[in-house]
Amino acid sequence: MRGLDEMQESLFTMSKLEDFVPADHPLRPIRFLVNDALKRLNGLFSLIYADTGRASIAPEKLMRALLLQVFYSVRSERMLMEQMRYNMLFRWFVGLAMDDAVWDHSVFSKNRDRLLAHEVVEAFFTQVMTTADKQGLLSKEHFSVDGTLIQAWASHKSFVAKDGSDDQPPGGSGRNRQANWKGKPRSNDTHASTTDPDARLYKKSDKTPAVLCYQGHVLMENRSGLVVGAVVSHADGMNERIHALRLLDCLPGRHAKTVGADKAYDTRDFVAHCRARNVTPHVARHERRWGGSAIDGRTTRHGGYGVSQTIRARIEEHFGWAKTVGHLRQTMYRGLRRVDHQFKLTMAASNLCRMARILFAVPEGGA
């Protein structure tokens, strides 16, 4: 018998948000880990917000909403608020009841900036790592380091001379004017982007085009492949090694450690600085570098060198996840601080997904 194509709602419905989320949904263990980290930030939240006045968005709800934006590749706050209106899963994760009003996207953005001003994301990242440490997931001796380019939210047309000497190219004015830079030298010393002054023109190799971008740097421990340090810098040929050393300096303890890295780190100054810090540089040998490789037999003869070279490639899993799921291939934010905020949040989200798979056996295709 054919059913009728009609809908008749009941007068009363007795349902809870919990009923709409399957018991084996991958967000359940992630929410448990997130709440555990947020509880330890209660003191920081109390300092940020005044005791009197109009109530704003709860910072715990705000952080969960920002994580959802990363987990589900939501490209804007406006679209996130739209999802919150009708997506029961999103409401459950954030902590909004079915009849709670959803915030305006502009109010959400202003409250997000408050977290940026008080470095809440950095504190949240630290608490997630504290949870991982309590669960015995972190290595204290063996690490890997690498960097990646993050394309800036700025075009080549915005990269103009700092002294204003650029001639107006033919073809009209405005944002869609024709531009021809053939034969004209352009460098970060003489030019800057009017859209994002913190972006730098940089190319990864001679075979790739130069783009306006930032550099993201990651330090990963080798036991579980979790990111223990993340920072964004201006794009520069030296910053990969400089920030690798700064991330190593943030590690606790003066005991012996190892750090795996690719050929870009095979320089005599980086190797010397690592050894001065009691860190053995398990860096890939760059035989064609002028002057030869800085890594000799006293490092490569040990079996741990090959192990570090194998495990260090797992950093690319975080970069790949961040650029495909987390929309970090090209950032939507402008300014070094905002991009750094987005990068740390995305790395924290990547860690949460990996921790959930390890601790709760969440399927690989989860959130």
Side-chain angles (χ1 to χ4, degrees):
M1 177 179 177
R2 178 181 177 182
L4 299 177
D5 183 18
E6 62 181 23
M7 182 184 70
Q8 183 175 359
E9 294 184 351
S10 58
L11 184 60
F12 300 101
T13 301
M14 301 297 294
S15 297
K16 298 182 296 183
L17 279 175
E18 192 77 18
D19 301 332
F20 292 92
V21 183
D24 59 347
H25 197 281
L27 274 185
R28 283 191 178 274
I30 292 177
R31 191 175 191 267
F32 176 82
L33 295 171
V34 170
N35 289 343
D36 182 60
L38 290 175
K39 285 178 183 177
R40 295 193 292 271
L41 293 178
N42 184 61
L44 175 60
F45 294 149
S46 298
L47 293 174
I48 295 175
Y49 293 84
D51 296 331
T52 59
R54 183 179 179 182
S56 62
I57 301 175
E60 295 86 353
K61 290 182 171 64
L62 186 61
M63 281 298 304
R64 296 190 198 103
L66 290 172
L67 287 170
L68 277 178
Q69 190 174 3
V70 178
F71 290 144
Y72 286 90
S73 308
V74 183
R75 65 176 181 265
S76 68
E77 281 86 2
R78 189 186 296 270
M79 292 189 67
L80 179 63
M81 295 303 103
E82 180 183 346
Q83 284 281 337
M84 295 279 289
R85 289 189 179 91
Y86 57 76
N87 193 320
M88 295 298 181
L89 177 66
F90 278 32
R91 282 181 173 267
W92 168 82
F93 187 86
V94 171
L96 288 178
M98 281 190 282
D99 54 352
D100 283 346
V102 177
W103 318 293
D104 184 82
H105 66 90
S106 60
V107 175
F108 183 86
S109 299
K110 289 182 179 180
N111 279 267
R112 181 205 63 210
D113 291 342
R114 177 178 292 179
L115 300 186
L116 172 64
H118 292 85
E119 300 182 349
V120 173
V121 170
E122 289 84 348
F124 176 75
F125 183 94
T126 301
Q127 293 304 325
V128 171
M129 289 297 94
T130 300
T131 301
D133 191 26
K134 289 180 178 179
Q135 296 294 331
L137 300 181
L138 302 184
S139 171
K140 301 295 194 304
E141 296 85 20
H142 306 295
F143 301 90
S144 299
V145 69
D146 203 356
T148 188
L149 294 184
I150 304 171
Q151 188 174 347
W153 194 257
S155 69
H156 277 277
K157 290 182 180 180
S158 70
F159 196 65
V160 298
K162 295 178 181 179
D163 58 5
S165 61
D166 281 346
D167 295 329
Q168 184 74 1
S173 60
R175 62 189 297 178
N176 292 322
R177 68 180 187 272
Q178 295 295 321
N180 182 12
W181 302 291
K182 187 175 182 180
K184 297 180 181 180
R186 305 166 80 223
S187 71
N188 293 313
D189 294 332
T190 58
H191 289 64
S193 171
T194 56
T195 304
D196 186 357
D198 284 339
R200 297 291 184 269
L201 194 66
Y202 183 78
K203 61 179 180 178
K204 195 170 185 178
S205 67
D206 294 335
K207 298 181 181 179
T208 58
V211 294
L212 288 167
C213 59
Y214 295 90
Q215 275 183 328
H217 312 275
V218 158
L219 181 68
M220 181 191 76
E221 56 81 34
N222 288 356
R223 177 178 298 171
S224 303
L226 297 175
V227 174
V228 295
V231 68
V232 169
S233 71
H234 296 297
D236 183 85
M238 300 290 292
N239 273 340
E240 272 195 323
R241 297 182 290 276
I242 292 173
H243 285 276
L245 294 172
R246 291 178 180 175
L247 290 172
L248 288 171
D249 288 338
C250 295
L251 294 175
R254 296 176 178 269
H255 56 278
K257 306 178 184 71
T258 67
V259 59
D262 59 26
K263 294 180 180 180
Y265 297 83
D266 184 12
T267 61
R268 300 192 183 280
D269 57 342
F270 178 76
V271 170
H273 285 307
C274 284
R275 288 176 174 153
R277 290 166 168 79
N278 199 21
V279 176
T280 303
H282 288 175
V283 178
R285 291 172 59 87
H286 197 328
E287 300 291 357
R288 291 184 293 177
R289 186 182 295 277
W290 183 84
S293 173
I295 302 297
D296 50 33
R298 59 177 168 170
T299 301
T300 58
R301 63 191 174 96
H302 297 287
Y305 176 81
V307 175
S308 292
Q309 284 298 301
T310 300
I311 294 179
R312 72 170 178 82
R314 297 179 68 181
I315 291 185
E316 299 298 337
E317 297 175 11
H318 289 283
F319 290 156
W321 189 90
K323 291 187 177 184
T324 54
V325 178
H327 280 177
L328 257 182
R329 188 176 302 278
Q330 182 177 24
T331 178
M332 298 176 292
Y333 298 99
R334 295 170 183 167
L336 181 64
R337 194 175 181 190
R338 288 179 178 270
V339 178
D340 181 68
H341 172 273
Q342 182 193 17
F343 186 69
K344 286 185 172 71
L345 182 68
T346 306
M347 290 298 109
S350 181
N351 278 345
L352 287 167
C353 291
R354 179 161 295 190
M355 290 167 60
R357 289 197 295 267
I358 295 173
L359 297 175
F360 303 95
V362 173
E364 187 71 24

